[in-house]
Amino acid sequence: MATHSAESRSRGAFILLEGCDRTGKSTQAAKLVERLQTLGHSTKLWKFPDRTTRIGQMIDGYLAKGEDLNDHAVHLLFSANRWEAVEAMEKHLSAGTTLVVDRYAYSGVAFSAAKGLDLEWCKHPDRGLLRPDLTLFLDMPIEESMKRGGFGEERYEKLTIQTKVRELFLQLREPTWVMVDATQSIESIHKELVHQSEKAITRVRDQPLQHDLWLS
Ligand code: NYM
Ligand code: MG
């Protein structure tokens, strides 16, 4: 006879927002969390890099304060910053909370490979991380995102790098990705993200968590 245990309770969805810089990910992630909560889904906002941890502070020094680090070393720090969050993410998802995550390993690979690091080498440290259930890729021409406020403040916010990053993102595209036209109004994008997210929440409810990023 089937018994109901804590393990059989439905899990939350791992919803990822990816894209180049200044494409509206953080704005949309915040709005999405708020809306999903209103719709009755337990939902939490997550963000990479998480600059609040010790590893995250080293990353922030590199990105925002002009501190130099070896390209390979900083790549591993970004990955370590995801690994140090894995237990907490898993705990929330298993308890039924949906996570809306602002950037993840795809950013990790795209930005490092854009600097010239080997793509396969870049993927390796993130192998075995949780796999997102849905990746919403906010896409727009780089020329457009460059016009947005704040562009150029941090390392990597340059036309040539962003163009390469976008190409690499497209190479990393997987079947669970949904491409979103980020030049639309904030409200239209929001509606599309809510629609896709609700479908994903329902779809994965009874599926086990997947710890197989880039393993298959
Ligand atoms: N970035 C982000 C990486 O280079 N590797 C990573 O693994 C991640 C998660 O950091 N330009 C880059 C992308 C961004 C920068 O991200 C900071 P944000 O979302 O602006 O805080
Ligand atoms: Mg940024």
Side-chain angles (χ1 to χ4, degrees):
M1 199 183 86
T3 52
H4 287 279
S5 62
E7 286 73 33
S8 69
R9 184 171 48 197
S10 29
R11 73 160 171 100
F14 177 170
I15 297 167
L16 171 64
L17 268 66
E18 274 287 16
C20 291
D21 287 293
R22 315 282 161 182
T23 51
K25 292 180 300 303
S26 305
T27 304
Q28 290 294 340
K31 275 178 77 72
L32 181 58
V33 168
E34 211 180 280
R35 183 73 188 134
L36 293 176
Q37 283 171 348
T38 307
L39 291 167
H41 305 288
S42 165
T43 311
K44 204 170 159 37
L45 179 63
W46 215 273
K47 155 113 194 94
F48 292 109
D50 173 0
R51 303 188 196 212
T52 66
T53 68
R54 274 180 294 170
I55 294 169
Q57 283 161 22
M58 292 165 76
I59 294 172
D60 186 58
Y62 174 79
L63 288 172
K65 304 192 177 92
E67 290 168 17
D68 284 323
L69 277 171
N70 167 276
D71 288 341
H72 289 85
V74 80
H75 180 79
L76 296 174
L77 288 179
F78 275 111
S79 177
N81 189 233
R82 285 182 280 279
W83 280 107
E84 67 179 338
V86 100
E87 284 89 3
M89 291 174 79
E90 202 179 324
K91 209 173 117 206
H92 285 296
L93 291 166
S94 306
T97 297
T98 284
L99 298 181
V100 171
V101 181
D102 184 351
R103 290 196 192 279
Y104 197 56
Y106 303 98
S107 277
V109 173
F111 280 84
S112 291
K115 292 191 282 188
L117 303 197
D118 178 74
L119 185 82
E120 286 308 315
W121 186 90
C122 288
K123 287 171 87 168
H124 214 82
D126 287 308
R127 279 169 66 109
L129 273 180
L130 281 169
R131 181 188 287 272
D133 297 306
L134 168 68
T135 298
L136 298 157
F137 185 78
L138 270 58
D139 195 27
M140 65 192 289
I142 307 300
E143 291 74 13
E144 289 294 311
S145 53
M146 280 181 69
K147 291 183 201 148
R148 295 192 167 182
F151 188 94
E153 276 169 14
E154 281 202 341
R155 198 185 284 263
Y156 303 143
E157 292 184 340
K158 299 184 188 79
L159 176 65
T160 46
I161 297 188
Q162 297 287 321
T163 305
K164 273 194 207 147
V165 167
R166 184 171 173 275
E167 282 166 15
L168 284 152
F169 267 131
L170 298 181
Q171 276 185 48
L172 294 168
R173 203 179 340 177
E174 291 177 349
T176 52
W177 282 40
V178 171
M179 306 301 283
V180 179
D181 173 2
T183 64
Q184 298 174 84
S185 72
I186 291 180
E187 278 311 316
S188 329
I189 298 168
H190 174 62
K191 275 197 192 133
E192 194 174 335
L193 302 195
V194 171
H195 172 70
Q196 295 292 345
S197 299
E198 284 214 282
K199 277 203 300 187
I201 290 170
T202 308
R203 176 170 55 82
V204 306
R205 196 166 272 165
D206 300 313
Q207 289 177 8
L209 286 175
Q210 306 195 53
H211 295 83
D212 64 343
L213 186 68
W214 291 324
L215 286 172
S216 52

